[in-house]
Amino acid sequence: MTSANDLLSSYQSKRDFTKTPEPQHHENDNEATFKFVIQKHWATKLHYDFRLELDGTLKSWAVPKGPSLDPQEKRLAVQVEDHPISYAAFEGRIPTKQYGAGKVIVWDEGIWKPLGDTNQGYLNGNLKFELFGHKLQGHWALVKIKGKSEKQQPWLLIKEKDNFARSHSEYSVVDALPESVKAYPVINKSKREFHLITDTTESLLLKSGAVKAELPPKISPQLATLAEGNLEDGLDWIIEVKYDGYRLLTRIVDNEVNLFTRNGNDWTSQLTALKDEIKSLRLPSGWYDGEIVVLNNDGLPDFGLLQQSFDNQNTKNIVLYLFDLPYYAGLDLTLVPLSLRKAVLSHLLQDSSSNSVRLSQVFENPSQDILASACKLGLEGIIAKHKESHYLPRRTSSWLKLKCGHRQEFIVCGYTEPSGTRDHFGALVLGVYDERGRLTHVGNVGSGFNDQILSQLKAQMDALAVSSKNFSTGISIKGKVYWIKPILVAEVVFSGWTKDGKLRHPVYKGLRTDKKASEIRREISKPTSLLAIKKPNAKVSRASPITHPDRVIDDTGTTKLELYRYYDLVKEFMMPHLEHRPVSLLRAPEGIAGQLFFQKHAEVEKLDGVAQIDAKDDQDKFLEIISSKGILSAAQWNVIEFHTSNNNTKNYQYPNRIIFDLDPGEGVSWKKIQESAEILKGFLDALSLTSFIKTSGGKGLHLVIPIKPEHEWEEVKNLSESIVKHIAMTIPQRFVHKSGPRNRVGKIFIDYLRNGSIATTVSAWSARARPGLGISIPISWEELYKVNSGDHWTVKTIHTRLDVGNEPWQKYASTQSDLNKAFKNFT
């Protein structure tokens, strides 16, 4: 048998260990634990290194596209040199000019179980095995491609058909889970099977819509729709109390407990007593949904007492009521009927005597009777859930909330001066965001405070003071108002709404630290008779989130699904460039070879996260992306390019940026474009104009100058044209002032027309409707000569840029150049 030292001779010879942080082989690496690791490697090209421990080394294959859970997707896996077992823990950056230079992360790791004779299977080129990892599980095969004699032997990595298999059009594991697993809990070396529930229960759940799945690091909770009236007869409902507390999602992995708010904030450190109590129950791994409360002397939830427990950092009396189980013991239960999810949860807690972790009580009486009883007891109301409802990460009509009175959250936008004997402040000025994303005044709340609350709130608000008012529309508030940054969320009870949209008899109940101000909208109850409540479709599949996922967009074979997944990957990077700007959308329903449509105005009722905004003359409406959901809605709508205007949606009259587009003519080299960008930057620096640079995704580069919004459109456009004219006159052999192909042969047109009031420019992180689907990416000036084209990054290669994100533009938001010096030079 060949020794590990001999097998690793190629690995050792290719590396200079005085320069690379990669580990060398050591004799004590030979412990046979059947490790496997997949390392995501940003080398010359992004690929995934798949490694299995065998014969004292890590047998290694480079998988260009990464693994797929689809048995039909046979992924090329090129065998490379064996690596030492210690390499399984390696993360870091291999220095430039070293073999394999680039960033490496541990994308997945765990243990593997041979299926059959391992050594014989490896020699025959047909190695079958089972994986127990964080992201990959189930049966797999590595099959050698016969008849190939390349120096690096090609194999195929194939997912075999089992309960972990998923269609590629439905799910891409490399796109959905791009991050490192180094911070994940270590998988027990001795654990060869992960069957944590009985075969009978597992079989029942699998037949009822469950699938085997890795536990996601975060989930979004299902939310209920505010309703009023009696529930329709003939529908089966589960009725629960509406708890007066905070939503809490519990993630358990091998009895390690983490506690999250509905917005994904980790509150584990604030709830140590509750965490320890949950650990003592030794519940199976999964996601558990519930609500935390503090009970008063009558045993009823009291929101004020809950808030006091956090204010005083004394959370020992907090009680968690559990009511749902979306993930459980290696199974995704989100498409399992609620009644069955609750049965499993009830079974888990049936022997528990914990006072801190309780099962939410279920009522099956008529909803109007239960609501009446809840109101008599002073409770907030009830929640009605359809017995067969699925667990969906959004607000649905299969979960309804019926309240005893009016109660919701509002944004604290400021406060009034105190009067009489009151100290600190008089009333809180409240607002909500309307359907266009504008902050709107809904009234003030001046009751419900004691001296301690007044003092604490005043201290918090002092730290958030701002000089300008928060409301874009005119308001009338008696007395002097002190404005604050609108991030505090207050819960208020009130008797109703006035005709002009103000609160009647509001009473302050407390601050909500589990909800974001950006989410707060006026809640409008819907009659149950109009909610079109339907029995959930038992055959709902986990199919693609879009229509026509296989439609090919360009000649590289990129599909609509791949473009959608690209936008899903970068949506959080993209939103800062889209927020509060009018947007134009370039649609390509038949791909880029078909007819393209520029859409500035559209009916957006079906586009979640997209809103219409009024133009300055109130004669037309434009579009705005108001949340990351809007990016995905647009991608489903066949949008390829996102273009933005140079102004803020709240201030049309004054642009807040200038853009210069370096548009090369025929025969201009990329090096000349790079040099020209540097020349333009130097000229702008001399005018005290700070410029940021991005690739265009096409042929050129964009220079973007954030400016103070003090000058009107025509002034800014004329200034930008004057700057371009001056540069073209100064260096005519390189630049031209006039557009048109004839004018710029061998030269660069600096496009200043992007600064007109109706002009737009492609947004950072937008794909381009050109062959290859290049991406417009923010870069730093230090990177200028490292980029090899305007479409250096494409939809297919964007993974190599995700770890950088918007970092090159981190100072953009705090930069606003003054145009006075430029105007003095050109007017």
Side-chain angles (χ1 to χ4, degrees):
M1 180 176 173
T2 308
S3 70
N5 286 332
D6 291 337
L7 292 171
L8 293 168
S9 60
S10 176
Y11 170 86
Q12 298 282 112
S13 66
K14 290 180 177 180
R15 290 160 175 82
D16 182 346
F17 293 103
T18 65
K19 296 179 179 178
T20 181
E22 297 167 284
Q24 298 187 64
H25 171 61
H26 298 289
E27 294 295 336
N28 60 3
D29 281 347
N30 294 333
E31 178 189 1
T33 55
F34 285 98
K35 294 177 183 176
F36 91 87
V37 67
I38 301 175
Q39 282 154 317
K40 191 174 179 179
H41 188 178
W42 286 267
T44 306
K45 292 184 177 180
L46 174 71
H47 63 275
Y48 295 76
D49 291 312
F50 185 88
R51 311 189 196 280
L52 298 176
E53 179 191 351
L54 185 63
D55 295 338
T57 70
L58 292 174
K59 301 295 181 188
S60 299
W61 292 263
V63 184
K65 291 186 176 181
S68 171
L69 302 184
D70 190 340
Q72 301 301 316
E73 290 277 319
K74 299 174 175 60
R75 293 293 168 89
L76 177 66
V78 179
Q79 189 165 14
V80 297
E81 72 272 13
D82 289 9
H83 282 52
I85 292 172
S86 54
Y87 203 95
F90 174 66
E91 274 196 342
R93 188 174 292 276
I94 302 171
T96 306
K97 298 183 180 180
Q98 295 301 301
Y99 180 77
K103 181 181 175 181
V104 177
I105 65 170
V106 175
W107 181 80
D108 197 13
E109 64 180 356
I111 55 177
W112 68 286
K113 176 183 177 182
L115 300 176
D117 188 323
T118 307
N119 292 100
Q120 194 61 47
Y122 177 72
L123 290 173
N124 293 342
N126 191 359
L127 183 59
K128 294 182 179 291
F129 49 90
E130 187 172 6
L131 295 181
F132 300 96
H134 295 288
K135 299 175 182 178
L136 301 189
Q137 295 187 16
H139 289 199
W140 295 75
L142 275 164
V143 180
K144 189 184 295 185
I145 298 177
K146 303 295 184 181
K148 298 289 184 178
S149 58
E150 288 92 337
K151 185 177 180 181
Q152 292 183 311
Q153 176 65 49
W155 296 57
L156 295 174
L157 177 64
I158 304 169
K159 178 75 188 79
E160 300 203 326
K161 293 180 180 179
D162 59 17
N163 286 325
F164 294 102
R166 297 179 75 174
S167 165
H168 177 66
S169 64
E170 165 195 331
Y171 184 76
S172 167
V173 67
V174 294
D175 289 332
L177 303 171
E179 74 289 340
S180 167
V181 298
K182 284 287 280 186
Y184 286 22
V186 176
I187 292 177
N188 191 327
K189 294 178 182 179
S190 64
K191 194 180 293 180
R192 288 289 182 262
E193 302 290 342
F194 286 4
H195 300 305
L196 301 176
I197 58 178
T198 68
D199 287 341
T200 302
T201 304
E202 179 179 7
S203 175
L204 176 61
L205 290 170
L206 289 171
K207 291 176 182 177
S208 303
V211 293
K212 292 190 176 183
E214 177 66 22
L215 192 68
K218 289 190 177 182
I219 64 170
S220 297
Q222 178 154 352
L223 303 176
T225 296
L226 181 61
E228 58 183 11
N230 297 331
L231 296 176
E232 184 181 341
D233 292 336
L235 287 175
D236 294 325
W237 296 92
I238 291 172
I239 310 296
E240 297 172 278
V241 167
K242 188 177 190 308
Y243 294 101
D244 199 1
Y246 289 156
R247 190 75 170 267
L248 195 76
L249 295 156
T250 301
R251 187 178 193 267
I252 302 177
V253 179
D254 294 337
N255 211 37
E256 286 300 314
V257 174
N258 288 94
L259 306 171
F260 297 91
T261 68
R262 55 180 280 175
N263 285 317
N265 298 319
D266 192 334
W267 278 13
T268 312
S269 61
Q270 300 180 60
L271 297 165
T272 53
L274 180 60
K275 180 194 75 172
D276 292 341
E277 184 71 11
I278 296 171
K279 284 175 68 73
S280 72
L281 299 177
R282 304 199 64 80
L283 296 170
S285 297
W287 275 103
Y288 296 75
D289 195 355
E291 186 105 352
I292 52 172
V293 301
V294 171
L295 304 177
N296 61 21
N297 292 333
D298 296 322
L300 300 175
D302 187 314
F303 185 76
L305 293 178
L306 176 64
Q307 189 179 38
Q308 286 179 31
S309 70
F310 282 101
D311 291 342
N312 300 330
Q313 297 183 356
N314 181 11
T315 58
K316 293 181 180 179
N317 293 328
I318 283 180
V319 176
L320 170 62
Y321 282 95
L322 292 175
F323 49 70
D324 213 329
L325 185 62
Y327 286 83
Y328 164 65
L331 296 176
D332 176 348
L333 306 186
T334 55
L335 296 187
V336 170
L338 173 64
S339 56
L340 184 51
R341 299 199 305 270
K342 280 190 167 291
V344 176
L345 183 61
S346 176
H347 177 75
L348 293 174
L349 296 175
Q350 65 181 352
D351 296 326
S352 170
S353 58
S354 173
N355 285 320
S356 299
V357 182
R358 307 182 187 184
L359 184 69
S360 176
Q361 188 175 356
V362 169
F363 304 90
E364 298 195 13
N365 307 66
S367 61
Q368 58 268 34
D369 295 345
I370 304 171
L371 179 61
S373 298
C375 296
K376 286 181 181 178
L377 289 171
L379 296 173
E380 189 180 350
I382 61 172
I383 300 289
K385 302 174 182 176
H386 194 280
K387 288 183 177 180
E388 297 189 33
S389 61
H390 302 135
Y391 192 95
L392 304 174
R394 58 181 181 271
R395 198 172 299 280
T396 74
S397 59
S398 60
W399 287 22
L400 303 177
K401 52 184 174 183
L402 293 92
K403 295 186 177 181
C404 295
H406 296 280
R407 178 171 180 156
Q408 76 156 87
E409 300 81 24
F410 298 99
I411 305 164
V412 181
C413 301
Y415 59 91
T416 61
E417 283 189 312
S419 60
T421 59
R422 173 174 285 188
D423 293 325
H424 306 297
F425 65 87
L428 300 181
V429 179
L430 304 177
V432 296
Y433 285 106
D434 65 14
E435 67 279 1
R436 297 175 182 169
R438 299 177 302 187
L439 199 53
T440 304
H441 182 231
V442 295
N444 305 338
V445 57
S447 61
F449 308 105
N450 58 32
D451 289 339
Q452 181 182 1
I453 294 173
L454 288 167
S455 175
Q456 290 175 343
L457 269 175
K458 180 61 163 54
Q460 286 179 271
M461 293 190 293
D462 284 346
L464 298 172
V466 294
S467 58
S468 58
K469 69 177 182 180
N470 287 308
F471 304 116
S472 56
T473 56
I475 58 170
S476 177
I477 300 177
K478 186 178 180 180
K480 182 175 177 56
V481 176
Y482 298 87
W483 301 101
I484 69 169
K485 189 175 181 181
I487 60 174
L488 298 179
V489 176
E491 184 153 355
V492 175
V493 296
F494 55 103
S495 62
W497 294 91
T498 65
K499 289 182 179 179
D500 60 347
K502 299 298 188 290
L503 302 175
R504 292 185 187 276
H505 312 121
V507 179
Y508 174 84
K509 298 299 290 184
L511 288 183
R512 297 294 301 241
T513 55
D514 62 328
K515 294 188 177 182
K516 295 179 181 178
S518 59
E519 299 176 349
I520 304 304
R521 304 287 190 275
R522 175 176 168 177
E523 282 192 321
I524 300 176
S525 62
K526 300 179 181 179
T528 55
S529 59
L530 299 180
L531 282 173
I533 303 162
K534 299 178 181 178
K535 179 179 177 180
N537 181 2
K539 295 183 179 180
V540 169
S541 69
R542 300 162 190 273
S544 166
I546 61 173
T547 58
H548 309 296
D550 297 324
R551 177 183 291 151
V552 176
I553 293 175
D554 75 333
D555 55 8
T556 66
T558 303
T559 64
K560 181 180 176 181
L561 178 62
E562 289 175 304
L563 181 63
Y564 181 92
R565 284 177 174 163
Y566 161 73
Y567 279 122
D568 196 19
L569 274 175
V570 303
K571 60 182 184 291
E572 301 306 328
F573 294 148
M574 197 172 181
M575 273 308 299
H577 302 276
L578 296 175
E579 279 181 323
H580 308 308
R581 291 192 185 277
V583 64
S584 299
L585 306 173
L586 183 66
R587 299 178 61 220
E590 305 301 325
I592 66 173
Q595 189 172 1
L596 305 181
F597 300 89
F598 238 126
Q599 205 104 29
K600 287 189 177 183
H601 326 286
E603 297 300 322
V604 296
E605 286 80 4
K606 296 181 180 180
L607 296 182
D608 192 10
V610 183
Q612 287 184 330
I613 52 177
D614 293 325
K616 60 183 178 181
D617 57 6
D618 292 326
Q619 297 300 309
D620 214 338
K621 293 180 182 292
F622 290 97
L623 301 182
E624 180 184 1
I625 306 294
I626 59 174
S627 74
S628 59
K629 291 180 181 178
I631 298 173
L632 300 184
S633 297
Q636 150 63 10
W637 200 40
N638 301 301
V639 169
I640 294 183
E641 295 187 5
F642 295 76
H643 291 243
T644 56
S645 174
N646 284 357
N647 62 298
N648 189 290
T649 53
K650 297 179 181 178
N651 189 351
Y652 282 90
Q653 188 175 359
Y654 302 114
N656 62 2
R657 73 181 183 194
I658 295 174
I659 290 182
F660 293 113
D661 177 5
L662 297 184
D663 192 357
E666 185 180 342
V668 177
S669 68
W670 177 247
K671 184 177 181 181
K672 193 171 183 178
I673 298 172
Q674 293 168 307
E675 293 169 348
S676 299
E678 198 167 33
I679 291 169
L680 180 55
K681 177 185 184 297
F683 189 80
L684 296 171
D685 286 346
L687 296 173
S688 300
L689 300 178
T690 301
S691 59
F692 295 80
I693 188 169
K694 67 185 179 77
T695 64
S696 68
K699 296 180 180 179
L701 294 165
H702 293 160
L703 273 68
V704 185
I705 303 109
I707 62 172
K708 293 180 179 179
E710 300 173 335
H711 303 276
E712 294 190 356
W713 285 102
E714 201 62 27
E715 293 180 277
V716 173
K717 182 183 176 183
N718 290 340
L719 174 64
S720 65
E721 182 179 9
S722 297
I723 291 172
V724 172
K725 278 184 178 179
H726 179 82
I727 295 175
M729 290 174 59
T730 305
I731 316 176
Q733 65 274 24
R734 183 180 291 266
F735 298 108
V736 293
H737 161 247
K738 294 183 178 180
S739 62
R742 292 183 180 180
N743 296 321
R744 51 194 170 96
V745 173
K747 298 181 181 181
I748 294 171
F749 169 54
I750 306 177
D751 188 353
Y752 62 88
L753 300 173
R754 304 283 180 182
N755 301 303
S757 61
I758 62 172
T760 60
T761 305
V762 73
S763 170
W765 298 97
S766 173
R768 301 303 303 273
R770 304 175 181 219
L773 297 177
I775 309 293
S776 179
I777 295 293
I779 63 173
S780 67
W781 282 104
E782 291 74 21
E783 292 180 292
L784 176 59
Y785 288 98
K786 298 177 183 178
V787 176
N788 59 27
S789 67
D791 57 358
H792 182 93
W793 290 279
T794 70
V795 167
K796 288 186 178 294
T797 64
I798 195 61
H799 295 81
T800 62
R801 191 63 178 178
L802 294 179
D803 60 328
V804 177
N806 286 321
E807 186 177 341
W809 281 28
Q810 60 180 321
K811 294 183 180 179
Y812 183 94
S814 60
T815 302
Q816 283 190 325
S817 292
D818 190 316
L819 296 183
N820 288 331
K821 185 174 182 180
F823 276 119
K824 286 179 182 178
N825 280 271
F826 290 102
T827 56

